Amino acid sequence: MASRRGSSSVTLPTGHTLAYTRTSEVDDLPHATKKKMADHLRRFETMFTMTPQRMRMIVEAFKDSLELGLSKSGQVVPMIPTYVFGWPSGEETGEFLAVDLGGTNLRVCLVKLNGGGKFEITQAKYRLTEEQKQEDVESGELSKDRILPLGFTFSYPCSQEKIDHGTLIRWTKGFGAPNTEGRDVVEMFRNSLSQHDVPAEVVALTCDTTGTLIASHYVNPDTKIACIFGTGCNAAYMERVRDIPKIAHLGIDPEAEMAINCEWGAFDSFEHEHLPRTKYDITIDETSNKPGEQAFEKLISGRYLGEILRLIICELIDEGVVFLGQNTYKIEIPYSFDTAFLSLMESDPTDELLMVIGIFSHFFALETTLAERQFFRALARLVGRRAARLSACGIAAIVSKMGYLEEGCSVGADGSLYNKYPGFADRIHEGLQDIFGEKGRNIVTHHAEDGSGIGSAIVAAMTKLRKDQGLYSNL
């Protein structure tokens, strides 16, 4: 048989560039046929496809969870009052520091707000190792001739009784630093700042999602909701104080507005009554460092999508469907299949799916047939599409609760999935139309402004202004 050869090079997420030449198929390995693959694909389509009716049921349950979280403390979706009062005016001015501890990076920003919705930013970014996620983080150096107000972005669930206080409820996104859950993270950060003689005063603790809401509204006043779809997932929106029964005792004007940090990654945790979990999702949950928790996040966040696909592939290996006669030990390592691989597989423009060849051969030393590659790409699409459609359910719950459907609203969205995963935003919009019908077109997502830098600085500015005016200065 004559062999047909093709060459290509592929750039992969780690910065490796692969160049290789290949024959049409590797004839000496037993491989799955196209028909057999199609039979398996139908099984997974049934498992991962969500009908509009199912989505609407999830939206209703989601709304109930949001209402419950606003009415009393200690609920599964905690609906945390942020003590960020109302929207920014766009006229806030001054220099502010912003420190952001996210899922992947530590970032320090100096933000100059110039008024008129304008700003300048200088920043430094540090990638966190898995080891650092389990220990304390030290601060860097600053000019010491004046004390700058600092907005601290801490993107983990905290309960707040005032804006410059926050008790860590639980670590998420793979963090596990000891002796921190149940403690005030602002107090710990202040102690660290003073130990290192850093001339900064923490005036506001916020999460990246709340910051994203404020920054996006600062630039685009149509923004009413902010979402993060990245390593973790979350949403924030502006709620009327009269509709937050659990803070009624604080005596805040019922007509005032306050940003709510939903921490919606916890939706349907523990009971698991509403979300369409497959056996692969259950495996991820049971082997995670927080079994039972963050149920919604485990279905839609970038931390888990690659692992969902890897578990499916491993099951097919065990069933003798794929990679017979090949050494599969590399792909059997948990979390070895990065969600970035799903993005690359879905966006592979070549007929031969050369990107997919590159991923499996370079990272896992596995040869694939065209039928297998088409099958793996179809699986990636199922996992990615389900994540986007579930994300749409969360947005729809807030839209429905707040009555934004008729007038429409803009949703500021950020995070690696939203920004880099091909078609993620389009699939969210498609999901919103499946839930709401034609009116779903009124809800539009757009790339959000930088919440953890600009947003955190604006929150610090709003808070300083509010306290200087003596408005709720104890909060």
Side-chain angles (χ1 to χ4, degrees):
M1 172 180 156
S3 78
R4 190 177 72 254
R5 291 183 173 271
S7 305
S8 181
S9 79
V10 177
T11 304
L12 288 143
T14 50
H16 302 268
T17 300
L18 308 181
Y20 46 80
T21 304
R22 58 181 303 275
T23 55
S24 60
E25 298 302 349
V26 180
D27 298 323
D28 57 348
L29 292 175
H31 275 297
T33 65
K34 197 159 190 169
K35 175 168 187 328
K36 201 158 83 174
M37 295 281 81
D39 293 341
H40 285 289
L41 187 58
R42 274 193 290 279
R43 175 162 65 102
F44 292 111
E45 279 170 347
T46 307
M47 240 185 261
F48 283 90
T49 302
M50 289 164 53
T51 62
Q53 184 186 3
R54 181 73 194 266
M55 292 169 78
R56 286 191 281 269
M57 287 165 66
I58 291 169
V59 171
E60 286 309 309
F62 217 127
K63 261 169 69 180
D64 292 345
S65 260
L66 303 181
E67 299 277 7
L68 192 59
L70 290 171
S71 64
K72 45 190 177 184
S73 299
Q75 301 308 299
V76 171
V77 178
M79 301 297 281
I80 299 160
T82 62
Y83 303 96
V84 174
F85 287 84
W87 299 110
S89 66
E91 297 309 314
E92 293 79 5
T93 57
E95 284 195 327
F96 300 87
L97 282 170
V99 173
D100 169 27
L101 181 63
T104 316
N105 300 304
L106 173 73
R107 193 161 64 117
V108 183
C109 311
L110 177 63
V111 179
K112 187 179 180 190
L113 299 176
N114 297 323
K118 305 273 193 299
F119 57 80
E120 298 164 39
I121 181 167
T122 310
Q123 62 180 335
K125 202 181 225 184
Y126 310 92
R127 192 168 180 87
L128 296 169
T129 65
E130 288 304 315
E131 289 71 37
Q132 284 169 327
K133 289 184 179 188
Q134 311 302 324
E135 59 191 38
D136 295 331
V137 179
E138 297 197 351
S139 353
E141 289 297 312
L142 277 171
S143 150
K144 295 181 179 167
D145 56 351
R146 66 207 158 115
I147 294 177
L148 287 175
L150 184 150
F152 180 28
T153 302
F154 186 75
S155 304
Y156 302 88
C158 285
S159 60
Q160 285 186 271
E161 290 162 17
K162 49 187 180 176
I163 197 155
D164 58 353
H165 156 95
T167 302
L168 178 62
I169 298 170
R170 78 184 84 83
W171 284 114
T172 55
K173 294 179 263 197
F175 266 77
N179 307 316
T180 45
E181 291 184 355
R183 291 177 61 193
D184 181 358
V185 295
V186 175
E187 187 187 339
M188 288 189 281
F189 188 36
R190 278 181 177 144
N191 291 342
S192 193
L193 289 171
S194 66
Q195 273 171 29
H196 294 275
D197 205 19
V198 178
E201 177 200 1
V202 184
V203 296
L205 173 74
T206 184
C207 77
D208 56 350
T209 321
T210 307
T212 298
L213 178 70
I214 297 301
S216 297
H217 188 276
Y218 185 76
V219 173
N220 171 7
D222 291 335
T223 306
K224 304 228 176 82
I225 300 169
C227 299
I228 307 288
F229 303 114
T231 318
C233 68
N234 197 8
Y237 71 104
M238 197 65 71
E239 184 59 272
R240 297 166 293 257
V241 168
R242 68 170 181 267
D243 293 328
I244 316 172
K246 67 182 175 184
I247 60 166
H249 64 282
L250 294 175
I252 301 166
D253 176 0
E255 294 310 305
E257 290 187 304
M258 187 186 288
I260 294 291
N261 164 23
C262 300
E263 290 299 344
W264 74 5
F267 170 63
D268 203 36
S269 293
F270 309 112
E271 300 296 326
H272 306 302
E273 292 174 317
H274 306 291
L275 292 171
R277 297 202 310 164
T278 65
K279 57 186 170 181
Y280 315 105
D281 302 307
I282 292 166
T283 299
I284 284 174
D285 182 34
E286 288 174 350
T287 56
S288 70
N289 63 346
K290 299 278 183 182
E293 299 182 24
Q294 297 301 102
F296 188 53
E297 182 176 293
K298 283 168 181 163
L299 299 189
I300 71 170
S301 102
R303 183 173 175 78
Y304 302 104
L305 300 188
E307 180 65 0
I308 295 169
L309 183 56
R310 190 194 69 82
L311 287 170
I312 296 172
I313 292 170
C314 285
E315 182 183 78
L316 292 167
I317 291 168
D318 290 345
E319 291 172 356
V321 177
V322 294
F323 304 136
L324 272 172
Q326 297 192 62
N327 192 335
T328 55
Y329 75 98
K330 283 188 174 179
I331 206 166
E332 284 165 21
I333 299 165
Y335 292 91
S336 57
F337 205 93
D338 198 293
T339 298
F341 295 161
L342 275 71
S343 296
L344 285 167
M345 289 163 77
E346 283 218 48
S347 58
D348 190 335
T350 64
D351 292 342
E352 284 274 285
L353 299 182
L354 298 173
M355 291 264 217
V356 184
I357 294 174
I359 290 164
F360 282 94
S361 64
H362 181 73
F363 289 96
F364 304 105
L366 292 168
E367 294 283 356
T368 52
T369 64
L370 182 58
E372 286 170 337
R373 294 193 293 280
Q374 288 168 336
F375 173 66
F376 294 145
R377 178 159 74 168
L379 284 178
R381 192 171 285 146
L382 286 175
V383 172
R385 186 164 183 264
R386 184 188 67 164
R389 288 169 74 77
L390 281 168
S391 301
C393 292
I395 294 170
I398 296 176
V399 166
S400 177
K401 184 203 172 308
M402 297 303 292
Y404 291 152
L405 186 60
E406 294 298 328
E407 58 182 299
C409 81
S410 209
V411 179
D414 205 354
S416 52
L417 269 186
Y418 183 82
N419 296 333
K420 295 178 184 170
Y421 198 105
F424 197 82
D426 293 338
R427 287 166 178 170
I428 287 177
H429 294 143
E430 177 192 89
L432 288 167
Q433 285 169 53
D434 278 353
I435 293 163
F436 291 127
E438 270 304 295
K439 286 182 180 167
R441 292 179 189 274
N442 295 347
I443 313 303
V444 181
T445 70
H446 66 274
H447 178 67
E449 292 300 315
D450 165 26
S452 49
I454 310 299
S456 188
I458 297 167
V459 168
M462 289 168 68
T463 303
K464 190 172 184 306
L465 196 62
R466 168 170 72 80
K467 294 202 171 181
D468 289 349
Q469 292 169 347
L471 189 62
Y472 308 122
S473 48
N474 59 325
L475 301 174

